[in-house]
Amino acid sequence: MENNILNEMDRVDPNLRDEMLAELFLDQTMNDFKRSKILEEIDYSLKNKDKEAFLRLTEKLKSVS
């Protein structure tokens, strides 16, 4: 399947391909950052024994891809 995607990418205009790859990279970077921040907040909620915050944050974490 990955080979199919790569083959399709070879057919796309190089400028558009670069733009698409940059956008994918930025999306992944933002998701990683959001995930990291939520995990820090979860750690803090555990440290402070804040069950409500923990439950809210774990649900929020599930929504981050």
Side-chain angles (χ1 to χ4, degrees):
M1 181 164 173
E2 288 183 18
N3 286 338
N4 290 340
I5 293 171
L6 293 175
N7 289 337
E8 291 295 321
M9 290 295 283
D10 286 339
R11 295 184 205 159
V12 176
D13 177 82
N15 290 331
L16 180 58
R17 183 183 62 221
D18 291 347
E19 184 178 329
M20 291 168 61
L21 290 172
E23 188 171 336
L24 288 171
F25 175 77
L26 289 174
D27 286 345
Q28 184 63 48
T29 302
M30 286 300 298
N31 283 336
D32 290 348
F33 178 77
K34 288 176 188 177
R35 184 177 202 77
S36 174
K37 286 299 182 185
I38 294 169
L39 288 170
E40 285 178 16
E41 291 179 48
I42 288 173
D43 287 345
Y44 186 77
S45 71
L46 288 170
K47 181 179 177 182
N48 292 309
K49 299 178 181 171
D50 186 345
K51 183 178 179 179
E52 289 178 20
F54 173 80
L55 294 173
R56 178 179 47 80
L57 291 164
T58 53
E59 284 302 311
K60 188 175 179 181
L61 182 61
K62 292 177 188 177
S63 70
V64 176
S65 11

